[in-house]
Amino acid sequence: MENNKYIKSKELLERASKVLASGVSSEFRKYNHPHALFYEYASGSKIIDVDGNEYIDFTLSQGPLILGHSNQQVLDAVNKYSEKGQLFAGQHIKEIELAEKINQIIPSAELMRFCLDGSEAVQTAFRVARSKTGKNLFLRFEGHYHGWLDNVAYGISVPKDENLGDRNKPKVFPWCSGLSTESKSEFIIIPWNDIEILEETIVKYKDQLAAVITEPIMCNNGCIMPKEGYLEKLRKLTEDNGIALIFDEVITGFRIGLSGAQGYFNILPDLSIFAKAMGSGYPISAIVGKKKWMEEISSGRVIHAGTMNSSNPTIAASLATIIELEKDINVYHRIFELGNKLKLGLENLSSKHNQNLLVQGPGPMINTSFTELLEVNDYRDTLNSDKQKLNRFISNLHDKGVRVIGRGLWYISATTTEKDIESTLEIVDKILKDL
Ligand SMILES: Cc1ncc(COP(=O)(O)O)c(C=O)c1O
């Protein structure tokens, strides 16, 4: 039956598809419910689509909106600084102010460079690691996402009717057509959270490994916390073997706390990537790191460039975002508390309705899946969940005004309220009863 709730979006999608490939500007936007939607207005924790449907927004634009939609201080800072110019192809004062601030709050950020997004900052980190070590390979982990470029686009997903093979020798599948076959030889991939396999692999390939890249919390699949001692072991093994440890903090940065996951876990990576919540929705990212590594860029041995880097609006947005987060001294406490309230509420409702809903994650981000497992510790575990049931759950939530990322990921912002959580749980109560 035709769903009239989204009729205007449907019409616009038909129009868009004539001029935009499949009607969207990023692949992930295709997978909305029931199809790509068009939005008109967003403020705080709410977003409204062109059909006038309002949602409590737990997608927060795939993570960036740590201050919620349309934060006034960020908007004012962007507008005011853009009046002076947009892009100088030269340096400007706020760029130093932002770098000084990041240097103060991110433990390993002795030197940095600003870029536009997470994907390109990740590639810059590989270049730095290769230049410094004279080695070529990097080690990645199953289920981690580091952007959409070729050398990190293998091993993101498993085709239907395939499997990942042996834990010690995983099968690697391309994410899509058109990837360079050479890129496949740039990396080794292993399951995450398995100290034994990690150690064996690093010992075996230490003379070829320039870097290990990891999400410090596996946010992209299952919101999985590192097992006790895992990141510490990773730090030690990389340090002992002259391998760069890269923390991909694109999600954890400014979300799990001002100092990122490296502050949260008290582990110093050599290089890290920040994006998403760093800029409240404006295109800015950073590669930050210890001087010893970042000097590859300072010296000119490694070239990092970009016409659009550090434009006035992006720098102003990032600086204002961090200042707002610093001013609100309870902000992270509140975000954690609300996330944990949501998590506990979901777990209680799952028990009440005899469902197999598993909720994982530290609070600022959580993940929901339907599985018989009591705990999900790596990507292979996530493959045991009931994806169709999750789709029904997420679609039902959406129809009732709660917007969650399709793979079950929920984000909390500084503007998420107690009322948002309570209303959401009332809706979940009704959905789980009949799911
Ligand atoms: C952990 C992680 N790294 C890198 C990226 C790529 O960032 P971007 O989409 O800004 O290129 C993402 C995007 O979702 C991410 O989640």
Side-chain angles (χ1 to χ4, degrees), residues 28-197:
F28 295 110
R29 295 181 195 166
K30 266 165 52 178
Y31 308 112
N32 221 317
H33 166 76
H35 46 69
L37 295 184
F38 288 74
Y39 297 91
E40 204 153 67
Y41 180 76
S43 174
S45 60
K46 309 287 188 318
I47 187 164
I48 299 176
D49 69 21
V50 289
D51 288 284
N53 302 305
E54 181 176 300
Y55 309 90
I56 302 170
D57 190 9
F58 291 101
T59 76
L60 297 173
S61 301
Q62 299 274 352
L65 303 176
I66 188 76
L67 296 173
H69 290 276
S70 313
N71 177 275
Q72 199 54 52
Q73 281 70 26
V74 174
L75 289 176
D76 289 347
V78 168
N79 291 339
K80 198 161 159 220
Y81 203 47
S82 300
E83 278 171 12
K84 292 178 186 283
Q86 295 75 52
L87 186 64
F88 299 133
Q91 301 312 115
H92 53 100
I93 186 80
K94 277 204 191 299
E95 201 173 340
I96 312 176
E97 289 171 18
L98 177 61
E100 285 171 345
K101 190 148 276 304
I102 292 174
N103 170 266
Q104 281 161 18
I105 59 182
I106 307 285
S108 71
E110 291 174 4
L111 278 175
M112 70 203 73
R113 274 280 176 99
F114 297 123
C115 326
L116 292 182
D117 63 24
S119 297
E120 64 165 320
V122 162
Q123 298 299 320
T124 314
F126 292 153
R127 197 178 276 186
V128 167
R130 285 174 168 143
S131 174
K132 176 80 185 160
T133 63
K135 300 186 268 182
N136 195 53
L137 284 182
F138 60 91
L139 180 66
R140 290 172 44 205
F141 298 98
E142 288 174 351
H144 289 217
Y145 181 73
H146 303 296
W148 62 281
L149 301 178
D150 285 20
N151 56 8
V152 286
Y154 283 94
I156 287 183
S157 56
V158 191
K160 210 167 162 272
D161 303 326
E162 284 285 1
N163 64 70
L164 281 170
D166 195 277
R167 282 183 75 78
N168 288 295
K169 211 174 173 320
K171 289 195 210 163
V172 181
F173 301 97
W175 192 27
C176 64
S177 173
L179 301 184
S180 129
T181 46
E182 277 76 31
S183 305
K184 200 176 168 185
S185 57
E186 287 185 36
F187 62 88
I188 296 164
I189 195 161
I190 55 173
W192 195 60
N193 249 344
D194 184 326
I195 290 193
E196 218 170 289
I197 293 183

Side-chain angles (χ1 to χ4, degrees), residues 198-213:
L198 176 71
E199 188 156 16
E200 275 168 22
T201 311
I202 291 192
V203 168
K204 187 168 170 197
Y205 292 100
K206 63 180 187 317
D207 296 333
Q208 296 164 65
L209 281 174
V212 178
I213 185 164

Side-chain angles (χ1 to χ4, degrees), residues 90-355:
Q91 301 312 115
H92 53 100
I93 186 80
K94 277 204 191 299
E95 201 173 340
I96 312 176
E97 289 171 18
L98 177 61
E100 285 171 345
K101 190 148 276 304
I102 292 174
N103 170 266
Q104 281 161 18
I105 59 182
I106 307 285
S108 71
E110 291 174 4
L111 278 175
M112 70 203 73
R113 274 280 176 99
F114 297 123
C115 326
L116 292 182
D117 63 24
S119 297
E120 64 165 320
V122 162
Q123 298 299 320
T124 314
F126 292 153
R127 197 178 276 186
V128 167
R130 285 174 168 143
S131 174
K132 176 80 185 160
T133 63
K135 300 186 268 182
N136 195 53
L137 284 182
F138 60 91
L139 180 66
R140 290 172 44 205
F141 298 98
E142 288 174 351
H144 289 217
Y145 181 73
H146 303 296
W148 62 281
L149 301 178
D150 285 20
N151 56 8
V152 286
Y154 283 94
I156 287 183
S157 56
V158 191
K160 210 167 162 272
D161 303 326
E162 284 285 1
N163 64 70
L164 281 170
D166 195 277
R167 282 183 75 78
N168 288 295
K169 211 174 173 320
K171 289 195 210 163
V172 181
F173 301 97
W175 192 27
C176 64
S177 173
L179 301 184
S180 129
T181 46
E182 277 76 31
S183 305
K184 200 176 168 185
S185 57
E186 287 185 36
F187 62 88
I188 296 164
I189 195 161
I190 55 173
W192 195 60
N193 249 344
D194 184 326
I195 290 193
E196 218 170 289
I197 293 183
L198 176 71
E199 188 156 16
E200 275 168 22
T201 311
I202 291 192
V203 168
K204 187 168 170 197
Y205 292 100
K206 63 180 187 317
D207 296 333
Q208 296 164 65
L209 281 174
V212 178
I213 185 164
T214 186
E215 290 185 60
I217 299 171
M218 186 168 141
C219 301
N220 271 294
N221 263 300
C223 241
I224 302 171
M225 296 299 274
K227 282 189 181 161
E228 214 182 313
Y230 187 73
L231 292 179
E232 287 77 2
K233 185 74 179 174
L234 180 55
R235 177 62 286 187
K236 172 129 186 41
L237 284 167
T238 45
E239 184 96 61
D240 289 352
N241 290 290
I243 300 165
L245 175 59
I246 305 172
F247 269 12
D248 182 342
E249 297 234 36
V250 167
I251 291 183
T252 50
F254 302 98
R255 164 150 292 284
I256 190 91
L258 260 187
S259 56
Q262 53 199 268
Y264 187 77
F265 293 117
N266 195 22
I267 293 184
L268 274 197
D270 299 307
L271 298 164
S272 345
I273 312 303
F274 291 84
K276 296 208 191 243
M278 175 181 173
S280 280
Y282 287 83
I284 184 164
S285 64
I287 166 175
V288 317
K290 293 182 188 161
K291 224 181 207 148
K292 176 174 132 186
W293 293 87
M294 290 298 289
E295 270 171 356
E296 293 306 304
I297 298 181
S298 315
S299 68
R301 278 190 293 279
V302 163
I303 291 183
H304 158 260
T307 304
M308 307 296 280
N309 291 352
S310 74
S311 66
N312 288 24
T314 62
I315 294 286
S318 182
L319 193 56
T321 302
I322 298 173
I323 290 171
E324 285 309 295
L325 289 168
E326 278 182 325
K327 266 201 313 215
D328 186 353
I329 51 168
N330 283 323
V331 69
Y332 287 107
H333 177 72
R334 212 167 61 237
I335 288 174
F336 268 86
E337 222 172 44
L338 286 175
N340 284 319
K341 186 172 176 177
L342 176 63
K343 188 173 166 189
L344 192 66
L346 290 166
E347 284 167 351
N348 288 341
L349 290 172
S350 176
S351 303
K352 175 178 166 188
H353 296 295
N354 206 15
Q355 292 283 359

